[in-house]
Amino acid sequence: PKMKEDHCLHAALLCLGVLCCSQALSTERLNHSRPSLHGHHEKGKEGQVLHRSKRGWVWNQFFVIEEYTGPDPVLVGRLHSDIDSGDGNIKYILSGEGAGIIFVIDDKSGNIHATKTLDREERAQYTLTAQAVDRNTNRPLEPPSEFIVKVQDINDNPPEFLHENYHANVPERSNVGTSVIQVTASDADDPTYGNSAKLVYSILEGQPYFSVEAQTGIIRTALPNMDREAKEEYHVVIQAKDMGGHMGGLSGTTKVTITLTDVNDNPPKFPQSVYQMSVSEAAVPGEEVGRVKAKDPDIGENGLVAYSIIDGDGMDSFEITTDYETQEGVVKLKKTLDYETKKSYSLKVEAANVHIDPKFISNGPFKDTVTVKIAVEDADEPPVFLKPSYIFEVQENAASGTVVGKVHAKDPDAANSAIRYSIDRHTDLERYFVINAEDGNIKTIKALDREEMAWHNISVFAVEVHKQHQEAKVPIAIKVVDVNDNAPKFAAAYEAFVCENARSNQQFITISADDKDDSANGPRFIFSLPPEIIHNPNFTLRDNRDNTASVLVRREGFSRQKQDLYLLPIVISDGGMPPLSSTNTLTIRVCGCDSGGSLLSCNAEAYVLNAGLSTGALIAILACIVILLVIVVLFVTLKRQKKEPLIVFEEEDVRENIITYDDEGGGEEDTEAFDIATLQNPDGINGFIPRKDIKPEYQYLPRPGLRPAPNSVDVDDFINTRIQEADNDPTAPPYDSIQIYGYEGRGSVAGSLSSLESATTDSDLDYDYLQNWGPRFKKLADLYGSKDTFDDDS
């Protein structure tokens, strides 16, 4: 307890000392700033006497320490006016920033106190205005004057880095002193007052690999040849401390993660010196044989490796490519192999870095080599044709059995099995050819026509005799060689026209020819007239020697009345060996032309007497036919628009009709509201009434004694007759006909026939059995159930 009292006493004395010092400092500053009570004279330049106002104010800055936590308000300073005689008539007023809230003034003594703790980092100074007024009248005794209260800084803010964590990269094997990253901290304290904001950087973790500059915060490498493959990531802790790094200063830290980036400082290396591989001789070019891989601890483009074959007896048969996803060298077959020819190959493969850093060329060479031995495996190979394809020729129209050509295949295996040949019938659907299965000779089965098909493309299979699954296929093209077996003909169905007034030697048509044969047996064509009409008096022919010919008029003047049609035979020969010719007929019509040679008419009937009907008569006949058709159409339309009868009578079923009128009569007492004769059925007089709903088993003949008189109007007799016929008819159901009469009137003794009230009337019938008929009759059972059921439901 005694020690505790001593500590309290020491704290009280310390606070009292600080307060006294602050009061003395403020009093000293106030004395410097206090205005004089009396005016005095000062000599200016040249002996002039200067007068100073009695109530002038002279201000200096006030200071207050931030973060003061004492029990009493801090005395900032004191205001006093020269006119204040101490009688209390002067009142001091304070206004401005924080006046009345932070800063208060004793209106009598002029002492200014700070009532709240101030923080320089929030606000460094305050501008206030002081004024002395008369306490009684509030009349200003002095003009208002401003002064500044500055908050004096203390070291109350530690340094803070811009980021809590930093990330930086630096290449591996960098020289000592290589700059990595600069970290920066800031201090909120006043940098112009003391060392509160003077920062010094130091490294707490990360030594001996890195260092930091004390003034700038730049982190640098401290060790040479740091290897990423040994350690890639480092964690460094940097401290920033104020007060110049001296004791008592505040500090802050940040973490820096430094990653070593890769450089190409490691060459690729094969894990083994020899690779063994094998491949079948049946493998096709491009097939993968095997893979090799050289390991490079570098990453990214620094670890890229390219593979190549630099030596070996298999350089022509194999190739190697690089799989950049797996960094492997893929050995592939370049061309087909033959086990019987060569059974093994040797390759020398090199792996080299794609990107080489000149700084580390001394670590090289950045490549490695390995030996790859490849064994060829024997395979059962299919037969092989001596040629990849064959082309044969055969003349068209050659006799059946003509040899077209011969194919040959052999077994490449050591067994050298026998071969059998066959034609792929999918390529020879018409079966033009056949092949000898033993020797491969191809022959024709039937004659070939070049004009029908100039080329035949077939395929031939070669199969080993003892191994049917081993087969080979070769394409064969057979050209049908042309022979001159088609005579030339007109290129079109020519029909020429010549004018009646044509002049002699006038050309009126040019003709040409076609030949289905090849050009060697076709053109050039020779045109001529048959020998028997070479001196034709009407027309002549001129060969143009360009595979065309012109037809000319030999004489002048033709007459359609004498002859309107001429048939001119023309002989066309080709240039084949032997040549073929054909006679073609040219049809020439005589036409009427104008003086310019334009055709007017080629009708010969124009000069023949009219033996038939004239054009006007034909038009009249057509008009009459059209009128008759119109009349028929109108008649049919009007016929359909006529109103149909409401009741259709059928000859075999003529019955009385019930005609309904919308009038009301006097009921059963009214006998004149309708004609009783309409109730009679004329067929009833004659006896049997035919039925359409059923087929009767036998015909029922009514008794003649019951037949009423034809003209009887006795309703009673008519009804009785109908009842007896219905009762005695074995083919008629009991409900033969339902007649509904909608007549209503007075005095009817009949009751209501409606079933609407049947539910409320008592009935002697029992419908309880409907409950046992199942769910389909449930609704009917509910409607016609017993009375107890209705009572229960209600």
Side-chain angles (χ1 to χ4, degrees):
K2 183 177 182 180
M3 184 179 295
K4 185 175 181 181
E5 291 177 359
D6 293 340
H7 283 300
C8 294
L9 182 60
H10 291 164
L13 292 175
L14 180 62
C15 292
L16 182 61
V18 171
L19 183 62
C20 292
C21 291
S22 176
Q23 179 68 29
L25 180 62
S26 302
T27 303
E28 183 180 357
R29 291 176 179 175
L30 185 62
N31 290 335
H32 287 291
S33 61
R34 184 181 299 170
S36 59
L37 294 174
H38 305 285
H40 63 275
H41 297 86
E42 292 182 1
K43 289 188 177 182
K45 295 180 180 180
E46 298 179 358
Q48 183 181 0
V49 177
L50 301 178
H51 297 276
R52 188 177 64 179
S53 174
K54 289 178 62 180
R55 299 178 181 86
W57 295 80
V58 179
W59 296 101
N60 287 327
Q61 294 179 349
F62 288 164
F63 296 89
V64 60
I65 298 177
E66 65 170 338
E67 304 293 345
Y68 175 74
T69 57
D72 298 325
V74 177
L75 178 63
V76 178
R78 182 181 180 186
L79 302 179
H80 186 75
S81 177
D82 292 345
I83 61 176
D84 186 2
S85 59
D87 54 2
N89 291 328
I90 295 178
K91 179 181 180 181
Y92 295 96
I93 299 175
L94 186 66
S95 62
E97 298 173 347
I101 300 174
I102 299 175
F103 301 101
V104 296
I105 189 171
D106 187 343
D107 58 355
K108 292 182 180 181
S109 63
N111 293 334
I112 301 174
H113 292 83
T115 60
K116 292 184 178 181
T117 301
L118 302 181
D119 188 358
R120 190 202 66 83
E121 286 70 37
E122 292 183 2
R123 187 157 193 165
Q125 64 181 20
Y126 296 85
T127 302
L128 299 173
T129 302
Q131 190 174 21
V133 298
D134 187 275
R135 183 177 297 276
N136 297 321
T137 63
N138 285 332
R139 181 178 59 83
L141 300 178
E142 297 283 351
S145 184
E146 289 185 352
F147 64 96
I148 296 173
V149 177
K150 283 193 173 183
V151 181
Q152 204 167 33
D153 183 49
I154 63 174
N155 188 19
D156 59 342
N157 291 281
E160 293 184 359
F161 285 92
L162 299 181
H163 303 285
E164 184 178 355
N165 293 289
Y166 288 84
H167 295 273
N169 298 322
V170 63
E172 63 173 331
R173 299 189 182 277
S174 296
N175 296 327
V176 175
T178 300
S179 175
V180 179
I181 189 175
Q182 182 177 13
V183 294
T184 304
S186 61
D187 197 320
D189 293 327
D190 189 0
T192 62
Y193 181 78
N195 295 326
S196 298
K198 186 177 181 181
L199 305 181
V200 174
Y201 299 93
S202 61
I203 184 169
L204 301 182
E205 295 181 15
Q207 297 169 329
Y209 305 102
F210 300 94
S211 62
V212 63
E213 292 184 359
Q215 304 299 325
T216 61
I218 297 177
I219 300 175
R220 300 181 182 274
T221 57
L223 284 181
N225 297 324
M226 286 190 292
D227 191 3
R228 184 199 64 84
E229 287 74 29
K231 185 176 181 180
E232 183 176 6
E233 193 172 82
Y234 296 84
H235 298 281
V236 178
V237 178
I238 301 297
Q239 181 190 67
K241 190 173 183 181
D242 58 11
M243 299 300 292
H246 295 95
M247 292 290 294
L250 303 178
S251 64
T253 60
T254 186
K255 294 181 180 180
V256 182
T257 301
I258 301 176
T259 303
L260 297 183
T261 58
D262 185 58
V263 297
N264 190 10
D265 57 341
N266 295 283
K269 190 73 176 177
F270 284 106
Q272 58 195 70
S273 59
V274 178
Y275 285 86
Q276 298 286 346
M277 300 179 184
S278 62
V279 61
S280 172
E281 64 171 338
V284 297
E287 186 173 334
E288 181 178 329
V289 177
R291 292 183 174 227
V292 297
K293 183 174 183 179
K295 295 183 179 180
D296 191 330
D298 295 323
I299 60 175
E301 66 175 15
N302 297 317
L304 294 180
V305 178
Y307 298 87
S308 61
I309 300 175
I310 60 176
D311 197 6
D313 56 359
M315 294 183 64
D316 296 334
S317 301
F318 299 92
E319 62 182 355
I320 190 168
T321 59
T322 303
D323 185 348
Y324 286 103
E325 292 184 1
T326 61
Q327 291 298 303
E328 293 177 322
V330 183
V331 180
K332 295 182 179 180
L333 187 63
K334 192 174 182 180
K335 65 180 183 179
T336 57
L337 304 177
D338 187 8
Y339 174 80
E340 289 71 25
T341 304
K342 190 174 179 60
K343 296 179 176 57
S344 64
Y345 294 88
S346 178
L347 303 175
K348 189 175 183 180
V349 176
E350 180 184 78
N353 278 135
V354 177
H355 303 283
I356 299 177
D357 193 340
K359 297 179 181 178
F360 307 100
I361 196 68
S362 59
N363 296 358
F366 287 85
K367 58 186 177 180
D368 193 17
T369 59
V370 70
T371 300
V372 179
K373 294 184 178 181
I374 303 174
V376 181
E377 297 177 349
D378 189 21
D380 189 8
E381 300 175 86
V384 178
F385 283 94
L386 299 184
K387 295 182 180 179
S389 62
Y390 292 86
I391 300 178
F392 299 132
E393 291 184 357
V394 61
Q395 285 192 347
E396 67 173 328
N397 302 325
S400 177
T402 302
V403 177
V404 178
K406 182 179 180 180
V407 296
H408 182 70
K410 66 176 182 177
D411 183 10
D413 296 324
N416 195 17
S417 300
I419 306 298
R420 295 185 64 87
Y421 304 93
S422 63
I423 295 177
D424 184 0
R425 288 304 171 187
H426 293 92
T427 61
D428 186 25
L429 297 176
E430 300 295 333
R431 294 185 176 271
Y432 289 107
F433 307 97
V434 66
I435 189 170
N436 189 308
E438 304 296 335
D439 58 11
N441 277 324
I442 301 174
K443 298 180 181 180
T444 60
I445 299 178
K446 52 186 176 181
L448 305 178
D449 187 1
R450 190 205 68 86
E451 288 71 40
E452 181 181 344
M453 187 179 294
W455 286 86
H456 293 265
N457 296 302
I458 65 174
S459 297
V460 172
F461 289 112
V463 182
E464 293 183 17
V465 174
H466 301 292
K467 298 176 182 179
Q468 299 292 331
H469 64 282
Q470 294 291 357
E471 66 177 15
K473 187 177 181 180
V474 67
I476 300 174
I478 301 175
K479 179 182 180 182
V480 181
V481 180
D482 184 49
V483 296
N484 193 17
D485 58 346
N486 291 280
K489 296 180 180 180
F490 276 157
Y494 291 108
E495 185 177 9
F497 301 92
V498 63
C499 295
E500 290 181 306
N501 57 356
R503 298 186 304 275
S504 178
N505 292 326
Q506 180 181 346
Q507 175 184 336
F508 59 91
I509 189 173
T510 300
I511 59 176
S512 62
D514 280 340
D515 194 329
K516 293 182 180 180
D517 291 325
D518 198 1
S519 58
N521 294 315
R524 140 169 138 76
F525 299 123
I526 301 173
F527 299 87
S528 63
L529 295 177
E532 61 271 14
I533 63 168
I534 195 170
H535 299 293
N536 186 301
N538 299 315
F539 305 100
T540 183
L541 185 68
R542 182 178 64 199
D543 193 339
N544 296 325
R545 300 183 180 276
D546 59 354
N547 296 324
T548 64
S550 301
V551 183
L552 297 86
V553 177
R554 175 168 284 185
R555 66 180 178 85
E556 294 183 358
F558 291 87
S559 175
R560 281 185 291 169
Q561 292 180 344
K562 293 181 179 180
Q563 186 175 353
D564 64 335
L565 184 66
Y566 294 89
L567 300 177
L568 180 64
I570 299 176
V571 178
I572 307 175
S573 302
D574 59 20
M577 292 299 293
L580 295 180
S581 63
S582 66
T583 301
N584 301 264
T585 302
L586 177 64
T587 302
I588 304 173
R589 293 187 179 276
V590 179
C591 300
C593 303
D594 57 12
S595 58
S598 299
L599 296 178
L600 296 178
S601 174
C602 293
N603 267 335
E605 292 78 9
Y607 292 91
V608 181
L609 295 177
N610 293 331
L613 296 175
S614 63
T615 304
L618 292 174
I619 293 175
I621 292 172
L622 292 175
C624 291
I625 294 173
V626 172
I627 292 173
L628 289 175
L629 290 175
V630 172
I631 292 173
V632 171
V633 172
L634 290 176
F635 178 76
V636 173
T637 304
L638 294 175
K639 187 73 174 178
R640 290 182 177 178
Q641 290 180 352
K642 287 184 178 181
K643 189 174 183 182
E644 297 288 344
L646 296 176
I647 301 175
V648 179
F649 294 94
E650 298 181 2
E651 295 180 358
E652 70 275 13
D653 187 15
V654 179
R655 300 185 180 181
E656 296 295 334
N657 298 312
I658 298 175
I659 303 174
T660 303
Y661 299 93
D662 294 333
D663 60 343
E664 297 183 359
E668 295 165 348
E669 298 177 356
D670 187 1
T671 59
E672 297 181 357
F674 57 90
D675 186 3
I676 196 64
T678 59
L679 296 177
Q680 297 179 0
N681 189 348
D683 292 337
I685 302 174
N686 299 327
F688 175 71
I689 302 174
R691 296 182 52 78
K692 294 183 178 181
D693 53 350
I694 62 173
K695 182 178 181 181
E697 297 179 359
Y698 57 89
Q699 296 293 336
Y700 167 71
L701 297 177
R703 291 173 292 178
L706 299 177
R707 186 176 299 167
N711 295 326
S712 175
V713 294
D714 190 349
V715 177
D716 185 46
D717 294 340
F718 173 76
I719 294 176
N720 290 331
T721 301
R722 289 292 183 262
I723 292 174
Q724 291 179 8
E725 290 178 358
D727 291 340
N728 297 324
D729 187 0
T731 63
Y735 45 88
D736 182 29
S737 177
I738 298 177
Q739 302 292 338
I740 299 175
Y741 298 93
Y743 299 106
E744 296 182 1
R746 297 189 306 273
S748 176
V749 296
S752 174
L753 299 178
S754 174
S755 63
L756 299 176
E757 299 178 358
S758 61
T760 60
T761 59
D762 296 330
S763 176
D764 296 332
L765 299 177
D766 185 9
Y767 296 100
D768 292 340
Y769 61 89
L770 294 176
Q771 300 288 343
N772 302 324
W773 284 17
R776 293 188 178 182
F777 297 91
K778 183 178 184 303
K779 188 65 177 180
L780 190 62
D782 294 341
L783 293 175
Y784 293 95
S786 63
K787 184 177 180 182
D788 295 339
T789 305
F790 288 106
D791 295 340
D792 295 340
D793 295 339
S794 61

